[in-house]
Amino acid sequence: MPFKLLKPQVEAIVSDTTKTINERLLLVCQLLETHIDYYNWVGFYFANSDKKELHLGPYVGEPTDHTVIPFGKGICGQVAVSNENFVVPDVAAQDNYIACSITVKAEIVVPIFVNGKNVGQIDIDSNTPDPFTEKDERFLEFVCEKVSEIL
């Protein structure tokens, strides 16, 4: 499904105040994983700045042991420090990659900002080599912007 058709659905989910924030975040994960073929694991990590750790929030996909990630470790941990999107076309070529599953070939992580502060991120794994484009980045920035409005 094209990103432009998903945007209003993301907005509808995020603005549904009859659900908790975590319920809405899980629905966003389910929407993306269901409608974008190469999004095989979709989840949110949130920063605990005092401990310099990321904590796993709602997600869809294979279970992961990586429920807490130190800042700087792995792709997610690097985004917590850099405050910038990180697109990994081939996880096997990354030195500082935390393997979640042998099926994962690529990853994209986009930070979530609230009042200019990096409070978390959306993390997407793909079993397809090099699937992410600039359109994915722009769409996920949109998703993160909408999510930031409810955090």
Side-chain angles (χ1 to χ4, degrees):
M1 179 177 288
F3 294 134
K4 68 181 181 183
L5 298 178
L6 290 172
K7 284 183 175 184
Q9 293 180 59
V10 169
E11 289 176 313
I13 290 168
V14 169
S15 63
D16 182 359
T17 56
T18 66
K19 293 183 173 40
T20 67
I21 290 172
N22 277 350
E23 288 171 332
R24 289 182 263 173
L25 293 176
L26 181 60
L27 287 169
V28 168
C29 293
Q30 291 169 338
L31 178 75
L32 301 187
E33 193 272 340
T34 299
H35 293 289
I36 304 171
D37 291 344
Y38 53 95
Y39 285 18
N40 303 113
W41 191 97
V42 179
F44 290 96
Y45 280 94
F46 292 100
N48 178 330
S49 297
D50 294 339
K51 291 186 173 185
K52 297 203 178 306
E53 295 175 336
L54 293 166
H55 292 262
L56 182 61
Y59 74 94
V60 174
E62 291 293 316
T64 179
D65 293 334
H66 306 291
T67 58
V68 177
I69 299 174
F71 283 13
K73 186 162 172 59
I75 308 308
C76 291
Q78 290 176 74
V79 170
V81 174
S82 73
N83 299 321
E84 295 178 1
N85 299 350
F86 200 151
V87 180
V88 181
D90 177 6
V91 296
Q94 274 298 319
D95 290 339
N96 191 6
Y97 172 70
I98 302 172
C100 292
S101 166
I102 59 168
T103 61
V104 175
K105 304 291 185 232
E107 182 174 11
I108 184 170
V109 179
V110 176
I112 301 168
F113 295 98
V114 174
N115 299 321
K117 182 179 179 189
N118 183 345
V119 298
Q121 53 202 226
I122 191 166
D123 177 22
I124 297 173
D125 291 342
S126 180
N127 300 340
T128 304
D130 195 12
F132 304 115
T133 68
E134 189 175 319
K135 288 180 182 178
D136 291 279
E137 280 192 78
R138 300 298 83 81
F139 173 68
L140 294 172
E141 287 168 353
F142 167 85
V143 171
C144 289
E145 185 181 311
K146 292 299 163 191
V147 165
S148 75
E149 295 169 6
I150 62 169
L151 298 178

